[in-house]
Amino acid sequence: MSFVSSKIAQSCTKIALILLVSQTAMAWEVDFSRRQVEFNRVKNEDRLPASIQEDQSASILSKVFESVEPTQDIVIMNTDKGFVPDTVRLKKGSNYRIHVVNVNGKEKNVSFVLDAFSEHHNTVFGEQKTFYVTPKTDGIFSYQCPETAVQGKFIIYSDAGSADRKPASN
């Protein structure tokens, strides 16, 4: 009797495995009807990075022959007491080379995050990280170090308003 019951148990096990495998295979079907076609296109223009030009419809020749201003160097130091300088004024449309230096003796390996320009860098004690920025949008944009919770800000201004400025005292 045990031989017959072992054969029945083997048959039942085989049938159960076949049913289980066939059900698992059907679960792996993929529905492509709702996929997103354009992942990189941002629909809301307010969410674009501050370094992307507002009008990118210029021809390639105009980009080649447009005058290029010299790049201005800016050094931002991450110290024990925060960023030095903690406020940086940048002119809209100018070219800048930003040097970030970690001189924080307490935190020797920290991050520098400038989300508005899509710049995220690891700064090690005594070393500098360099990146380029060409601001295209007016506004105030913060940079920060998440590990030490210090913040600074970039103030982007356009040159058009500077001609209308008047002295604060008369």
Side-chain angles (χ1 to χ4, degrees), residues 53 55-66:
Q53 292 182 359
D55 180 25
Q56 293 185 349
S57 62
S59 70
I60 207 156
L61 286 176
S62 65
K63 287 183 181 180
V64 169
F65 292 114
E66 75 180 16

Side-chain angles (χ1 to χ4, degrees), residues 41-49 52-54 137:
R41 172 162 267 157
V42 177
K43 302 291 186 221
N44 185 355
E45 299 299 325
D46 295 335
R47 294 186 44 89
L48 288 173
I52 291 182
Q53 292 182 359
E54 294 167 356
T137 306

